Amino acid sequence: MSAAGTHFEHPDVVVCPGGPMLLRGKHTIEDADGVPHETTRPVTAVCRCDRSASFPWCDGTHRVLPAKLRPT
Amino acid sequence: MHLPHPRGPLTEELLGALRSGIDDFYAVLAAAPTATGEDAALALWVLHELHYRGFGEVPEQLEWDPQLIRVRRVLEHDLENRLRDRFTAPEGLSFVEDVFDWIDGHEGPSLARHVHRDADREQVLELFRLRSLYHLKEADPTAWVVPRLGVRAKAALMELQYDEYGAGDPNRLHHHLFAEGMRASGLEPAYDAYLHLVPLEVLEQNNALSMFGLHRRLRGAALGHLAAFEATSSLPSRRMAQGLERLGFPAEMVDYYAEHVEADAVHEQLAVRTICAALLEEEPELEEDLWFGAFTCLDLEDRFARTMLARWGVEEEVA
């Protein structure tokens, strides 16, 4: 048995290629108009394509955008 | 929960035997291999149900009756073969990298699109009755997969399931939200209330999910199904919510779909990038079954959507 334990990466922020940013835990996001939005679920998807109808949260809209309009 | 009405020779035998309180199911076993269609599907649904909440009139110990398990296996074997016959694994694609594009390239009829713009109130109520069979046990079949996984995939699946079950708050548990929506819409939120109405396609959607969940061997298919299910939910849920508002449905039902817009935008990412990715790191040989599960999810939904649109006399609307 190895002396060192196993440690798994478990980041608080995960950037999804072409999609949202996942946030683990409780956070408050201030939008461009200065309005605060509190996360309510264990993991939240934050919009990165700027076209979500639920902004600042992701609603899957990036999936219908042409590839060049999707976040990198 | 009460046993349903039979739909053919196998369910005549099975339901009769379950009601009689005997524990000899040889006649049921004899009828199983030749059962087809709704008769076979309803029998399998009833046998799976013994592993969920069960039926008031069926003794609890029959859940693990060897003869009934044997009948279940005959029916599951047939279902799995039929599902696999329809499936061809995509070549040269990586599940984690490519499944979103693969799903977006899939052309199928969309019930959400119909509800969004054109459906009338009675059609939507009919859809709720039929969907209630699954929505009232939403996430339950996938819960069986948890103990079959390695550390990373297990933690990842629980992160998603925790949200499905309301993060500990029973008021936010997803199948409870649907029950509240049904009640507010004048429907009965019990998962046997509309069982007599559901067509073959709905029984098979539910049977496939239960079979994937109950068999450790099919854990890859269960998680592939989960990924495809979550990845085809967010935008259609938005269309559903807007269609329900158009038709004046109560806020509780609109909320159920509105919740799924944001929840499933998270869940689709978790399902693919954390759950399935971790599964493949631990068990790379399961990639083909991930595709099989994902394909089966889309395929069964297409078949259900076609049935309903044909029933309503609506020309197919491709998503």
Side-chain angles (χ1 to χ4, degrees):
Chain A
M1 215 173 156
S2 145
T6 304
H7 179 76
F8 299 102
E9 293 298 328
H10 189 61
D12 296 328
V13 180
V14 177
V15 173
C16 304
M21 176 174 73
L22 301 182
L23 280 182
R24 291 191 165 103
K26 200 167 158 48
H27 301 273
T28 305
I29 310 243
E30 190 178 284
D31 67 22
D33 299 323
V35 180
H37 301 267
E38 284 190 11
T39 63
T40 57
R41 54 183 75 253
V43 186
T44 308
V46 180
C47 173
R48 291 200 306 135
C49 74
D50 288 341
R51 285 168 177 79
S52 171
S54 307
F55 199 85
W57 316 130
C58 172
D59 70 349
T61 296
H62 60 274
R63 298 260 305 272
V64 295
L65 297 177
K68 65 177 193 305
L69 291 180
R70 293 184 193 178
T72 48
Chain B
M1 174 99 172
H2 297 291
L3 289 168
H5 298 294
R7 296 198 194 182
L10 175 59
T11 40
E12 288 277 0
E13 282 290 348
L14 173 66
L15 298 168
L18 290 175
R19 276 196 186 95
S20 72
I22 57 157
D23 60 356
D24 178 348
F25 299 102
Y26 276 113
V28 182
L29 191 47
T34 51
T36 56
E38 292 185 14
D39 188 32
L42 181 63
L44 184 53
W45 189 89
V46 167
L47 291 169
H48 282 154
E49 186 53 39
L50 298 179
H51 300 280
Y52 290 95
R53 307 295 302 272
F55 302 91
E57 60 263 61
V58 178
E60 293 190 343
Q61 62 267 28
L62 290 185
E63 179 186 355
W64 294 106
D65 180 274
Q67 289 173 321
L68 289 181
I69 296 290
R70 182 77 201 134
V71 175
R72 206 189 92 193
R73 287 303 300 132
V74 169
L75 298 172
E76 286 178 338
H77 184 74
D78 179 58
L79 173 63
E80 185 179 344
N81 281 347
R82 282 184 290 109
L83 296 176
R84 286 196 187 273
D85 281 347
R86 299 171 65 87
F87 164 68
T88 309
E91 277 182 34
L93 297 185
S94 140
F95 190 85
V96 174
E97 299 300 323
D98 300 319
V99 72
F100 285 118
D101 287 341
W102 178 79
I103 288 169
D104 291 339
H106 174 87
E107 290 191 351
S110 166
L111 290 174
R113 219 173 260 278
H114 178 61
V115 170
H116 189 201
R117 291 194 305 245
D118 302 316
D120 63 30
R121 192 178 168 80
E122 193 41 53
Q123 290 171 346
V124 174
L125 285 169
E126 185 179 7
L127 190 60
F128 291 154
R129 290 187 197 102
L130 304 183
R131 289 254 198 248
S132 69
L133 208 64
Y134 176 67
H135 285 333
L136 292 176
K137 57 172 67 144
E138 190 171 325
D140 288 349
T142 316
W144 278 317
V145 184
V146 175
R148 282 89 186 254
L149 302 174
V151 175
R152 288 187 56 212
K154 180 182 287 186
L157 179 55
M158 282 310 298
E159 189 173 48
L160 186 155
Q161 290 286 84
Y162 187 56
D163 199 31
E164 288 283 345
Y165 288 102
D169 178 355
N171 298 298
R172 300 303 302 166
L173 195 134
H174 281 185
H175 66 67
H176 176 69
L177 292 179
F178 192 74
E180 290 299 298
M182 287 184 81
R183 193 174 288 117
S185 305
L187 298 171
E188 193 185 333
Y191 57 67
D192 59 345
Y194 304 109
L195 180 55
H196 60 291
L197 300 174
V198 303
L200 172 67
E201 293 77 9
V202 169
L203 290 169
E204 294 216 321
Q205 282 182 310
N206 283 272
N207 289 346
L209 263 167
S210 296
M211 177 173 73
F212 291 166
L214 281 167
H215 292 268
R216 180 170 65 87
R217 175 177 64 81
L218 295 173
R219 61 199 178 282
L223 296 183
H225 187 292
L226 172 72
F229 195 89
E230 300 289 357
T232 49
S233 174
S234 233
L235 292 173
S237 292
R238 167 85 71 208
R239 291 195 190 100
M240 287 293 297
Q242 289 173 344
L244 300 185
E245 281 176 338
R246 171 178 69 78
L247 290 165
F249 271 89
E252 289 89 339
M253 197 53 115
V254 177
D255 284 351
Y256 170 83
Y257 287 97
E259 159 70 10
H260 283 77
V261 174
E262 284 169 29
D264 293 346
V266 180
H267 295 179
E268 66 180 15
Q269 300 296 338
L270 292 178
V272 174
R273 296 183 201 286
T274 66
I275 299 168
C276 291
L279 180 79
L280 287 176
E281 280 192 22
E282 289 160 354
E283 304 185 274
E285 69 280 8
L286 294 181
E287 182 152 8
E288 182 163 325
D289 264 5
L290 287 179
W291 288 112
F292 168 56
F295 171 83
T296 298
C297 175
L298 302 186
D299 186 44
L300 289 171
E301 177 58 21
D302 285 352
R303 289 157 67 188
F304 173 56
R306 277 197 192 102
T307 299
M308 296 315 293
L309 294 175
R311 182 182 290 186
W312 296 331
V314 178
E315 224 170 284
E316 235 175 66
E317 303 192 33
V318 172

